[in-house]
Amino acid sequence: MLLILANCGLKDRTGQGFYFELEKIDSFQVEYSGPFHGIDFHEPEGVIYNFREGSFQKFNTEGKTLAKKTIPREGTNSISYVGGLKVMPDGRTYLQSLKGEIGILDQELNLIEKFQMPFAPSLSDLRSNVKSMEIANGHVYIYFPGRDGVNPYEKDFFKNNHLLEKVELETGKSSPFLRLPEGSKYQEELYFEHPFIFLSIFEDKIHFAFDNEPVIYVFQLNDGEFLGEIPLEASNFVELEGQEIPLDLTTIKIPGMIDGLYAFENGVAVNYLEGITEEALKQGQGNDPNSQTNPQNHILKVYLKDKGWSNEIVIPMEISYLLNFESPEKEFYALKNDPVSSVERSAITFYKLRLSKK
């Protein structure tokens, strides 16, 4: 059964000549109780991670559990608290720990390889960084600040340092990679909130985005040459302004946030939360947890090189997380926004989705 999940108002959210509707075409459940702190997916298999227990569960799109494993955080064959995971087409899962370890799990979730980054991490607020780690051509590309003891929270960090580390899988050798483009707001002599990083690689190009800046930067993969930028052209994306010392902390707003970046053959897709303006917050919007309307819309947009941006596709509240968008022609999966607490949960629900042209 097909169910149209979103139908945008074209007056405010038109694209540049092509339009999509989001459709749910199927769903499946995976038996799972308790909390989970990370999910990654590459059809037909995915991995769920429990941060507190160090446990992993592998599943497929039929809802079958394929493997379970708990990996100790200390001792032989251990890995510390995992901040990000990436499931690859060959069935392996790559992990990044908060202590700077990069681990590789085989298809049965056994830890088969682990190496340590050559310097200590310096981030204290790693959000699930599955989207700030990519693997291609025998290398791991990863946001991992801390080289030479530099503090990533300092002003001008992104201006004065490389954006990523490029780690050779065969040797574990790491080298700095990518420089901040001139057009980024982080080139300004102002203080901005510390961003999270999104990466997506397709063939010979790497796409890069800060979560709080509505621009996608494109680089050559082999040498890091900057190729250009793709402004998001969002009808609404709330940004926090850069500030000088002393900082003004009186302005209250919820900033927009990129939450997914997906490069494909002839373009790129992005999903993001629009944020909530100070005026909307003063009017009481966004404060009612029982509200069925979400003033902070969750948007999916598709960019094609020869056409520009699609319409802004509003993702309904029943979807919390997109998992494996590969192109606008392919079906993909998303995690259901389940209001049931982790104590009561017995299963996790996934939706199978597709984009249909209007």
Side-chain angles (χ1 to χ4, degrees), residues 47-101:
V47 172
I48 305 169
Y49 172 64
N50 183 311
F51 185 91
R52 296 169 188 164
E53 297 177 356
S55 62
F56 299 83
Q57 179 172 323
K58 193 169 192 176
F59 64 92
N60 63 16
T61 53
E62 296 178 355
K64 182 180 179 181
T65 295
L66 305 176
K68 290 184 179 181
K69 193 75 64 174
T70 298
I71 300 177
R73 287 187 282 269
E74 296 180 356
T76 306
N77 296 322
S78 66
I79 192 160
S80 184
Y81 293 99
V82 170
L85 65 159
K86 181 78 174 180
V87 177
M88 297 299 292
D90 62 3
R92 293 187 173 191
T93 302
Y94 288 74
L95 311 174
Q96 179 194 0
S97 83
L98 301 189
K99 289 186 177 180
E101 303 157 309

Side-chain angles (χ1 to χ4, degrees), residues 177-298:
F177 190 64
L178 296 191
R179 281 291 190 178
L180 181 70
E182 288 298 323
S184 172
K185 69 182 183 182
Y186 285 93
Q187 291 283 4
E188 299 178 21
E189 294 294 329
L190 296 170
Y191 285 87
F192 292 93
E193 70 279 12
H194 189 85
F196 295 103
I197 307 301
F198 287 82
L199 306 177
S200 185
I201 292 174
F202 186 84
E203 293 182 346
D204 62 344
K205 294 180 178 60
I206 181 168
H207 291 68
F208 177 102
F210 295 114
D211 72 327
N212 57 8
E213 184 177 41
V215 183
I216 300 166
Y217 299 106
V218 186
F219 301 85
Q220 196 71 39
L221 182 61
N222 62 342
D223 59 6
E225 177 188 359
F226 177 60
L227 300 177
E229 63 184 46
I230 306 172
L232 190 56
E233 298 181 9
S235 61
N236 183 27
F237 190 96
V238 178
E239 289 189 80
L240 298 181
E241 296 79 9
Q243 299 189 50
E244 298 178 347
I245 296 293
L247 299 178
D248 179 8
L249 302 178
T250 60
T251 300
I252 300 174
K253 63 176 72 172
I254 298 176
M257 182 183 73
I258 290 175
D259 198 40
L261 185 65
Y262 318 93
F264 51 90
E265 183 175 6
N266 62 334
V268 64
V270 62
N271 64 288
Y272 60 94
L273 296 168
E274 291 183 323
I276 305 177
T277 64
E278 184 174 11
E279 292 74 19
L281 286 174
K282 287 179 179 178
Q283 295 171 10
Q285 298 183 37
N287 296 327
D288 182 1
N290 298 314
S291 174
Q292 297 302 307
T293 59
N294 184 5
Q296 185 181 191
N297 287 313
H298 188 186

Side-chain angles (χ1 to χ4, degrees), residues 102 115 117 138-140 142 165-169 172-174:
I102 293 178
F115 54 89
M117 292 293 288
H139 291 84
V140 175
I142 192 167
E165 292 288 326
K166 180 179 179 179
V167 186
E168 187 176 354
L169 281 169
K173 180 181 178 181
S174 182

Side-chain angles (χ1 to χ4, degrees), residues 153-168:
Y153 299 101
E154 289 183 352
K155 179 174 169 290
D156 296 336
F157 168 78
F158 292 103
K159 181 192 299 187
N160 297 332
N161 297 276
H162 288 82
L163 301 176
L164 303 177
E165 292 288 326
K166 180 179 179 179
V167 186
E168 187 176 354

